[in-house]
Amino acid sequence: MLPLLFLGSCDDDDDITPEPVVVNTKVFDLGSVSDPDISGTATFSELDNGDVQIDLDVENTPANGMHPAHIHMNTAAESGAIVLTLGTVDGSTGESSVTVNAFNDGTAVTYEQLLNYDGYINVHLSSDELGTLLAQGDIGENDLTGTSKSYELDSGD
């Protein structure tokens, strides 16, 4: 009888892709719309692989609800079409996270482009009640920085 010989290889984790690393972050405020107790933040994180992670953290959302969120074009005051679907905010945690590299129409988008985008975020009550907003905030070039500058004016004729 010949002894059986089994040959095999061990998996040495060479095939594991490392998790992307956060390179930069920018936080935008989300203000209340329908309930003054609801507010939050949207954190845009540039990842070293070129993707952008967008984390929403909304406080005091209705528990047990699922609250869809989107980036729209223009300012919140002007309103505009949805350009990017974000993660759905879980009402029990107030959190969502999504990683993106393109708008809904397939157009590529980078971290820098989002930081300068003419847009705003809406967090809705539910997919059936998109008209009811829980939180909203301008992003990109529309973000209010709180910085102001005064100029002295001379009198004219």
Side-chain angles (χ1 to χ4, degrees), residues 101-130:
N101 57 22
F103 288 113
N104 288 355
D105 68 1
T107 304
V109 67
T110 66
Y111 175 76
E112 286 299 322
Q113 289 170 323
L114 284 171
L115 291 191
N116 295 302
Y117 188 71
D118 176 13
Y120 66 99
I121 292 175
N122 274 347
V123 179
H124 305 272
L125 178 61
S126 70
S127 58
D128 293 334
E129 297 181 69
L130 293 176

Side-chain angles (χ1 to χ4, degrees), residues 18-157:
E19 289 292 318
V21 175
V22 173
V23 179
N24 291 305
T25 61
K26 169 75 176 157
V27 177
F28 297 101
D29 291 326
L30 301 174
S32 65
V33 179
S34 60
D35 181 338
D37 292 331
I38 297 174
S39 64
T41 58
T43 303
F44 289 42
S45 299
E46 178 183 20
L47 304 178
D48 65 351
N49 66 0
D51 291 344
V52 181
Q53 182 175 316
I54 302 173
D55 297 309
L56 301 180
D57 184 10
V58 185
E59 295 180 8
N60 301 315
T61 53
N64 302 321
M66 298 304 285
H67 313 293
H70 308 99
I71 292 179
H72 296 254
M73 64 175 57
N74 300 323
T75 66
E78 296 172 298
S79 76
I82 294 170
V83 294
L84 184 59
T85 302
L86 301 177
T88 300
V89 175
D90 181 337
S92 60
T93 64
E95 298 175 351
S96 79
S97 183
V98 64
T99 301
V100 301
N101 57 22
F103 288 113
N104 288 355
D105 68 1
T107 304
V109 67
T110 66
Y111 175 76
E112 286 299 322
Q113 289 170 323
L114 284 171
L115 291 191
N116 295 302
Y117 188 71
D118 176 13
Y120 66 99
I121 292 175
N122 274 347
V123 179
H124 305 272
L125 178 61
S126 70
S127 58
D128 293 334
E129 297 181 69
L130 293 176
T132 303
L133 299 177
L134 299 180
Q136 184 178 70
D138 285 321
I139 64 164
E141 68 179 38
N142 303 324
D143 184 36
L144 297 177
T145 62
T147 302
S148 65
K149 184 165 181 152
S150 298
Y151 297 93
E152 189 171 318
L153 301 175
D154 290 332
S155 61
D157 290 337

